[in-house]
Amino acid sequence: MKRYQRAALIGTGMIGGSLFSALKEAGAIAHAVGFDARREVAERARSLGIVDEVAASIAEAARAADLIVLAVPVRATESICEALAPALSPEALVTDVGSTKREVLLAVFRALPFPERFVGAHPIAGTERSGPEAADRALFSGRRCLLTPAATTRPEALADCIALWEKAGARVEQMDAAHHDRLLARVSHLPHVAAFALAAAVGRAETAGISAGGFADTTRIAASDPAMWRDVLLANRDEVLLALEALDEELGALRRAIAGRDGAKLESLIARAKESRRRVIDPDSEGGGR
Amino acid sequence: MKRYQRAALIGTGMIGGSLFSALKEAGAIAHAVGFDARREVAERARSLGIVDEVAASIAEAARAADLIVLAVPVRATESICEALAPALSPEALVTDVGSTKREVLLAVFRALPFPERFVGAHPIAGTERSGPEAADRALFSGRRCLLTPAATTRPEALADCIALWEKAGARVEQMDAAHHDRLLARVSHLPHVAAFALAAAVGRAETAGISAGGFADTTRIAASDPAMWRDVLLANRDEVLLALEALDEELGALRRAIAGRDGAKLESLIARAKESRRRVIDPDSEGGGR
């Protein structure tokens, strides 16, 4: 595969850091330049060997780069594309790692001079940790990476982007950006909203250090970065609101069965939830036993 | 500590099986008799060495027993106490492992001839797995076990029960049954309801095998046994409904911030959820950093 002579990482946090660590390890990057809105974060990424050089500006990072990876909160995409624009080489591959894809695509079309060289990407991996210290070059190994090319995307940019993520160990799948956002609203954004609400509701009462019955697991993702999740939820607002309606309906059905002491209904709702979870996690399995 | 000459386990599933495995390992039980509503489950517990003998009835299991452990769905407590009553020795210690404690106490007062020898217990441990094959003698090691003695409980029964659970490796704490149920509604029952609702809501849509962003963790407890959770939620109905109100309010606040594109409010709600989770899980820590 292609070896990038000068790869720019905009946003040197956990996700971007993990990607660049993997790509450097795989020999896919000759020289890596990092930029972060908080310069000390970029300096930490350099001291960890994630990038070789810290750029003072986005334009400086982008200049002469043949690969540019945006690993920033999705809401920052447009202003970063504007800052990239004057320095962008027509041959550079531009990709991102954002959790929503329609907003990113709109920002790219508005602000990038060569949007046909941009390929949106969303690696389905991550932890609630953040910062370059949490970067892990094996983070994407065996995990899916969803690419959302637009109708105007150049085939060679798409091919390069597929090769890039495969080099990082990911299993690449392609889908439409709108479909991506609808899907992620369900499988990721809604669980986050539920975890935020649950953590806050439980925390209202004095819990005496007893956190039983899966509270820690159920709210693990509530420990995620607030600014990042603010952006994700707003960027995917319409789909998230639809998903929240579905959650409300399910909570309402459970509440009615509990309030009405309807044991048969309650058991069937719980059994359905259990089966639903199994199907979401492993759609190829046959089900059957409890 | 006391060595029980004939210990009866009513309900030979995962929790009861784990306790008896631990007690046998610790030499606290000379001979164990098991009964299960599904005889083949008791037979499996015997073949696994969890009990030494399978009883044909609850009364047969209880006859001459100096320890009786009820490890059954909470709703079955009263009928089991009625079946125990004719065979119960006045010296026997009776305890349980139920996830709610007021209903259990009421059942005991209604149906047991010596309710002052009963000590309600709730070990804060478990997995979504069930059956004697899932029993693990280290399950309670270092975990809390909440004992909920009543005002009428005999001090020596309480002392024996404390020693019993400590022998199984648990850290014993005592609290009022009503306080227990309020606490558990928040830290355990509400997370289960949320996980059931979330699993069902996500499962409504085609998710293409993508289960990202913590869905598996967030819904892990939705794989729990439906009949058991039907009983727990109905047994603790009033507290669960109150806890659900708190969840609804938090979901409503998040929904309004998302619908109104109020980024500042949304970020502060998420940050509060994150802090709340930290406080619930580790109330002694100072917080501070994100």
Side-chain angles (χ1 to χ4, degrees), chain B residues 70-99:
Chain B
L70 312 183
V72 297
V74 285
R75 208 162 64 156
T77 306
E78 186 160 356
S79 66
I80 288 173
C81 287
E82 284 165 358
L84 280 175
L88 187 65
S89 147
E91 298 309 313
L93 170 66
V94 186
T95 184
D96 79 323
V97 300
S99 307

Side-chain angles (χ1 to χ4, degrees), chain A residues 87-148:
Chain A
L88 188 65
S89 147
E91 298 309 311
L93 170 65
V94 186
T95 184
D96 80 323
V97 300
S99 307
T100 72
K101 300 266 67 97
R102 276 180 312 184
E103 287 281 323
V104 165
L105 214 50
L106 288 170
V108 161
F109 278 116
R110 279 193 296 260
L112 269 199
F114 312 107
E116 66 276 19
R117 298 278 311 161
F118 174 86
V119 185
H122 179 198
I124 307 295
T127 73
E128 69 282 13
R129 300 172 59 214
S130 55
E133 292 75 14
D136 170 8
R137 67 170 182 250
L139 182 67
F140 307 116
S141 181
R143 309 299 294 272
R144 295 189 207 221
C145 181
L146 309 180
L147 298 193
T148 57

Side-chain angles (χ1 to χ4, degrees), chain B residues 2 12 17 47 78 86 117 147 179 181 188 217 254 284:
Chain B
K2 204 160 170 168
T12 59
S47 71
E78 186 160 356
R117 299 276 311 159
L147 299 193
H179 180 237
D181 286 3
S188 171
D217 281 353
L254 286 159
D284 300 327

Side-chain angles (χ1 to χ4, degrees), chain A residues 124 144 186-187 199 201 203-204 212 216-217 219-220 225 230 237 248-250 255 259 267 276-277 290, chain B residues 124 144 186-187 199 201 203-204 209 212 216-217 219-220 225 230 237 248-250 255 259 267 276-277 290:
Chain A
I124 307 295
R144 295 189 207 221
R186 292 293 172 115
V187 301
R204 285 182 182 197
D217 281 353
T219 59
R220 183 182 64 80
D225 181 60
R230 170 201 67 203
R237 172 182 178 274
D248 272 340
E249 287 168 18
E250 298 294 341
R255 181 191 309 107
E267 185 175 355
S276 171
R277 175 179 192 270
R290 303 212 311 197
Chain B
I124 307 295
R144 297 190 205 220
R186 292 293 172 116
V187 300
R204 286 181 179 197
D217 281 353
T219 60
R220 184 183 62 81
D225 182 60
R230 171 201 66 204
R237 173 183 177 273
D248 272 341
E249 287 168 17
E250 297 294 342
R255 182 189 311 104
E267 184 174 357
S276 171
R277 175 180 192 269
R290 303 211 308 196

Side-chain angles (χ1 to χ4, degrees), chain A residues 26-170:
Chain A
I29 289 178
H31 183 79
V33 188
F35 173 84
D36 200 283
R38 289 175 293 171
R39 187 177 175 111
E40 77 277 14
V41 175
E43 294 290 358
R44 275 151 49 202
R46 180 171 58 181
S47 71
L48 291 159
I50 292 167
V51 296
D52 303 301
E53 176 190 341
V54 170
S57 70
I58 292 170
E60 184 189 313
R63 191 153 297 126
D66 45 3
L67 170 65
I68 299 174
V69 175
L70 312 183
V72 296
V74 285
R75 208 162 63 155
T77 306
E78 187 162 353
S79 66
I80 288 173
C81 286
E82 284 166 357
L84 281 176
L88 188 65
S89 147
E91 298 309 311
L93 170 65
V94 186
T95 184
D96 80 323
V97 300
S99 307
T100 72
K101 300 266 67 97
R102 276 180 312 184
E103 287 281 323
V104 165
L105 214 50
L106 288 170
V108 161
F109 278 116
R110 279 193 296 260
L112 269 199
F114 312 107
E116 66 276 19
R117 298 278 311 161
F118 174 86
V119 185
H122 179 198
I124 307 295
T127 73
E128 69 282 13
R129 300 172 59 214
S130 55
E133 292 75 14
D136 170 8
R137 67 170 182 250
L139 182 67
F140 307 116
S141 181
R143 309 299 294 272
R144 295 189 207 221
C145 181
L146 309 180
L147 298 193
T148 57
T152 48
T153 304
R154 292 278 285 273
E156 63 272 27
L158 176 57
D160 285 349
C161 198
I162 292 171
L164 184 82
W165 282 101
E166 287 180 346
K167 204 80 179 177

Side-chain angles (χ1 to χ4, degrees), chain A residues 249-250 253 265-279, chain B residues 196 199-201 203-204 222 226:
Chain A
E249 287 168 18
E250 298 294 341
K265 178 68 180 174
L266 184 55
E267 185 175 355
S268 89
L269 287 169
I270 298 172
R272 190 162 63 85
K274 181 174 177 163
E275 167 58 18
S276 171
R277 175 179 192 270
R278 188 201 57 69
R279 210 174 46 238
Chain B
F196 298 146
R204 286 181 179 197

